[in-house]
Amino acid sequence: MHARIRKILAPGFTPRALRGQEPILHRYVNLLVERLRECVSKEPQGKGAQIDVAPWFNFTTFDIFGDLGFGESFDCLQHSRYHPWIALLFNSVKAASFVAAARFYPLVEFILMKCIPPSLRKMQRDHYQQIVDKVHRRFNFELERPDIMSHVITANEEGDLPIGVINTTFMVLTTAGSETTATVLCGALNYLVNHQDKLHALGQEIRQRFRTEDEINLDTLRNLPYLNAVIMEALRLCPPILWMLPRRVPSGGDTTAVSIQSYTMNRDPSYFHCAASFIPERWLPEASVNSKSAFFKDKREAVQAFSLGPRSCMGQHLAWAEMRLILTKLLWTFDFAAVEEKRLKWEALRTFLFRRESSGI
Ligand code: HEM
């Protein structure tokens, strides 16, 4: 079943599909810039605005996924606040991580499940129902759209994918395709504002490359070395999926490779020079060819934030496109700095499935 779903979803995630989806990405990233500009313009001239960017990154990535998945945005950027579906998701991840942990102890799980009040169960059903309704509305669109769902609709018409599977797949995808990208963006910007020299280097690269905002597109963004290096370093230090990816052992047992937590491996000093430090330069082409570089021996291939193999991330082209576009348009438009009393250490964040606390940028 997994291989079948993956095959049906695949055409919606190719580089060619991404080209068709690019105008949708620009629409939301431009709206993000516009909204932040409004925040800045409310402050006295030249003073700048104090903004917690973490929600804004989530607004943007959830709105983009809403459009690409269901043909309707979550309208977070429109209203400058979380859609209730996302707010409920974020408010329940801590409890969800306890439920997930309880699964290892059947008796604890049994008792915990008995304790869940009916109102909470109803809330959970309503949460799921909202996705079912979104899928239903998208299925009734008359317009052809170059989105992820279009291929799924064809498969459903041909009887290849039952509607229940589509609903649950898109329920998971909504989070997998949004919170992940937003978290890496938060990590990248947080490290940048705490390393003004790196922020300056990236700003210079972007502002020298583009004279007008119209020149910024997925093609022109692909080969900006420092931008790519910053994103790779953020994927290394701030991988959004921090736990070991679970796999079910088939009945009768099997031999399997041992899973490893990317957060731990990516910070292993035996793999990376100055492993705990944010140094995008380790990803610049010369670091891997110049034997005098301090990063020459870095095990760059150890960083696999999107995983590998038959279950690797299908949305990695899309994620890269969003990260490049969002970072570039923001740094092209604004000057960023950390708010002194709200400086945040990424390592100090607590994790309950997601990185939870928001950054004070
Ligand atoms: C920086 C952002 C992202 C990261 C780091 C990331 C990472 C991952 C990882 C590690 C997996 C493997 C999960 C497992 O094996 O259990 C995965 C799976 C997946 N991701 Fe992403 N992801 C990101 C963004 C996205 C986006 C934007 C989308 C699409 C909208 C997406 C769609 C998927 C899908 C469909 C799978 C399931 C693949 C399968 O099971 O065959 N991801 N992702």
Side-chain angles (χ1 to χ4, degrees):
M1 178 57 97
H2 167 262
R4 213 158 86 199
I5 303 172
R6 192 169 166 105
K7 197 169 159 205
I8 289 165
L9 286 175
F13 288 108
T14 59
R16 185 158 166 259
L18 187 57
R19 268 197 295 281
Q21 295 158 357
E22 181 169 355
I24 297 176
L25 267 58
H26 280 284
R27 190 182 318 144
Y28 293 102
V29 181
N30 291 348
L31 190 53
L32 166 71
V33 171
E34 201 180 306
R35 286 284 177 264
L36 294 186
R37 213 180 250 138
E38 285 164 15
C39 295
V40 175
S41 69
K42 283 182 199 143
E43 301 298 322
Q45 188 92 38
K47 196 169 172 293
Q50 279 193 23
I51 297 169
D52 178 357
V53 292
W56 289 97
F57 284 146
N58 277 297
F59 294 171
T60 314
T61 55
F62 273 94
D63 276 1
I64 291 174
F65 186 83
D67 201 316
L68 291 180
F70 308 109
E72 57 183 42
S73 147
F74 281 94
D75 282 338
C76 301
L77 288 166
Q78 196 59 40
H79 303 304
S80 302
R81 63 177 152 76
Y82 280 118
H83 182 281
W85 190 91
I86 305 165
L88 183 59
L89 173 82
F90 282 177
N91 288 334
S92 52
V93 283
K94 190 169 180 178
S97 63
F98 283 108
V99 172
R103 292 222 173 103
F104 289 96
Y105 308 96
L107 184 63
V108 178
E109 187 191 10
F110 178 78
I111 296 167
L112 195 69
M113 288 301 146
K114 286 273 171 228
C115 297
I116 293 179
S119 58
L120 213 62
R121 287 186 194 279
K122 182 176 178 315
M123 206 188 277
Q124 194 183 18
R125 276 198 306 275
D126 292 347
H127 199 233
Y128 178 61
Q129 187 59 39
Q130 286 190 49
I131 295 294
V132 174
D133 295 343
K134 278 180 178 292
V135 172
H136 185 72
R137 281 197 294 276
R138 174 65 185 86
F139 266 60
N140 289 325
F141 269 29
E142 302 216 326
L143 205 73
E144 281 220 2
R145 308 184 84 242
D147 60 16
I148 299 168
M149 190 65 96
S150 55
H151 309 279
V152 177
I153 293 174
T154 315
N156 179 256
E157 281 163 2
E158 290 166 3
D160 287 345
L161 208 54
I163 192 72
V165 175
I166 298 173
N167 291 336
T168 47
T169 301
F170 275 74
M171 171 90 177
V172 178
L173 257 187
T174 306
T175 314
S178 311
E179 186 273 340
T180 44
T181 313
T183 297
V184 181
L185 282 165
C186 288
L189 193 54
N190 189 58
Y191 272 112
L192 285 169
V193 294
N194 284 307
H195 295 80
Q196 281 292 325
D197 53 333
K198 316 288 183 205
L199 180 64
H200 180 73
L202 181 57
Q204 285 273 95
E205 181 178 77
I206 290 169
R207 290 175 188 187
Q208 278 172 6
R209 173 66 183 80
F210 303 110
R211 269 179 306 130
T212 65
E213 209 184 322
D214 296 343
E215 291 171 12
I216 303 173
N217 60 52
L218 297 187
D219 260 344
T220 53
L221 279 177
R222 197 161 298 122
N223 296 319
L224 292 193
Y226 206 73
L227 174 67
N228 289 337
V230 164
I231 295 175
M232 275 311 300
E233 190 66 341
L235 286 167
R236 183 180 75 87
L237 289 174
C238 321
I241 300 178
L242 293 157
W243 57 94
M244 292 192 275
L245 297 170
R247 296 290 184 260
R248 184 171 289 172
V249 182
S251 59
D254 204 347
T255 305
T256 179
V258 175
S259 184
I260 191 159
Q261 217 179 240
S262 55
Y263 184 85
T264 316
M265 183 170 61
N266 294 355
R267 288 164 180 261
D268 187 332
S270 63
Y271 281 5
F272 297 100
H273 177 68
C274 295
S277 305
F278 177 74
I279 310 176
E281 285 71 12
R282 74 175 82 245
W283 297 101
L284 292 178
E286 68 216 43
S288 52
V289 291
N290 179 1
S291 59
K292 296 214 169 63
S293 162
F295 310 107
F296 183 65
K297 291 190 176 149
D298 274 12
K299 302 273 182 298
R300 278 167 283 269
E301 67 281 9
V303 179
Q304 298 293 348
F306 296 103
S307 191
L308 291 162
R311 284 173 189 263
S312 65
C313 178
M314 299 184 76
Q316 44 192 301
H317 297 303
L318 176 61
W320 267 96
E322 289 184 49
M323 292 188 288
R324 286 188 179 124
L325 205 57
I326 293 173
L327 269 184
T328 302
K329 287 203 177 184
L330 287 185
L331 265 65
W332 195 84
T333 315
F334 303 103
D335 293 326
F336 284 88
V339 175
E340 204 47 58
E341 64 277 17
K342 291 184 182 164
R343 273 188 197 275
L344 178 124
K345 259 183 90 94
W346 196 256
E347 296 76 12
L349 288 177
R350 301 211 298 162
T351 303
F352 293 97
L353 298 180
F354 303 162
R355 287 304 228 183
R356 284 199 84 236
E357 282 91 337
S358 52
S359 61
I361 297 167

